[in-house]
Amino acid sequence: MIRIISCFLLSIVFVACSKTQKDWQLKKEIKLDDVYPIGLAVLNDQLWLSDGDNNRLVQINEDGKIEKELVDFERPMHIGLSKNTLLIPEYGRDTISTYTGGKKGFLRDIPKLDAPAGVFTLGKEVAIADFYTNTVHFFNGSIWLKIGGKGTAEGKFNYPTDVHLSTGFIFVADAYNHRVQVFDKSGRFVKVLGQNLGINAATGIYVADKELFITDFENSRVFVVSLENELIQEITQAIEKPTDMLIYNEQLYVVNYKSGIVSVYER
């Protein structure tokens, strides 16, 4: 009986502690001028956005003013970083462009792509979400692995739009299967996240230490879930057709394609 009571008390303490986690609250909105953002990244403490409608990348300050512009892209999507290099998936050019030290180039020795929508690196590892082939290409430091294929079953995709790497796993925004899928570094399916949230189009993802952020584009909301698939928060304030997000300086930045606003939240 004592053991049962102890377990019960511990469960109460656990629940109470879990409720002390603060929600993300809107801090400010950064209004952009004629920018329709899809992806974002922070390079050298500067915020970069891909502006798909205008086929460019822009560097903005905290007031939304454009401080630098890179042009001549074809529908740049969810951008990534590799050390001091920006990686730009060009949906309309079927390649991954690079920008470093003021120079543009291309990511070499990659598989043939058909509308890449997202790219992410971690050390020597590279992952690319390839929209029309319904696959994710993963370079493990030695070889490229091909994950997925068209379908609704576990391990299959219906237009993947974004990808994120953690130490042990590959996270994929499986947009029109309305979910996020997780794979290990050998390409084996591990689990599904967010499938119970009523997501219309899971277009962008960001993985923190214990949380996964998912943009629900058509329903104009961002979900925060645990890596065990428990809903932590649903963010709707200042959200309008969100496509991507990241945490920088303990603040959550969310880009909104329709409104042309970067919404900033804090805890």
Side-chain angles (χ1 to χ4, degrees), residues 82-83 121-127 138-142 165:
S82 178
K83 296 183 179 179
T121 67
L122 182 65
K124 294 182 179 180
E125 298 175 342
V126 183
F138 173 62
F139 182 70
N140 62 13
S142 300
L165 297 173

Side-chain angles (χ1 to χ4, degrees), residues 184-246:
D184 66 19
K185 295 295 179 72
S186 69
R188 290 178 296 189
F189 170 82
V190 175
K191 61 182 174 181
V192 172
L193 299 173
Q195 76 277 16
N196 56 335
L197 299 175
I199 295 172
N200 183 284
T203 54
I205 54 175
Y206 179 81
V207 183
D209 289 340
K210 298 180 180 180
E211 298 169 323
L212 168 68
F213 297 77
I214 312 168
T215 61
D216 185 3
F217 182 79
E218 296 293 346
N219 293 321
S220 292
R221 53 189 177 174
V222 171
F223 287 110
V224 187
V225 301
S226 73
L227 299 185
E228 290 73 42
N229 204 31
E230 298 170 336
L231 177 62
I232 297 173
Q233 185 181 357
E234 178 182 341
I235 305 172
T236 58
Q237 186 179 10
I239 300 294
E240 192 169 7
K241 305 296 185 187
T243 52
D244 206 358
M245 68 250 115
L246 59 74

Side-chain angles (χ1 to χ4, degrees), residues 12-62:
I12 292 175
V13 170
F14 176 78
V15 171
C17 290
S18 66
K19 290 183 178 179
T20 63
Q21 174 67 63
K22 293 182 179 179
D23 283 347
W24 292 98
Q25 303 291 337
L26 181 67
K27 178 182 179 182
K28 65 178 180 179
E29 296 176 71
I30 303 174
K31 178 62 179 176
L32 307 172
D33 185 14
D34 192 34
V35 176
Y36 299 90
I38 294 177
L40 77 165
V42 175
L43 176 62
N44 298 326
D45 295 320
Q46 302 295 329
L47 187 64
W48 285 87
L49 305 172
S50 59
D51 182 4
D53 286 14
N54 293 310
N55 295 313
R56 63 179 179 170
L57 261 62
V58 293
Q59 177 195 310
I60 66 167
N61 62 22
E62 286 292 329

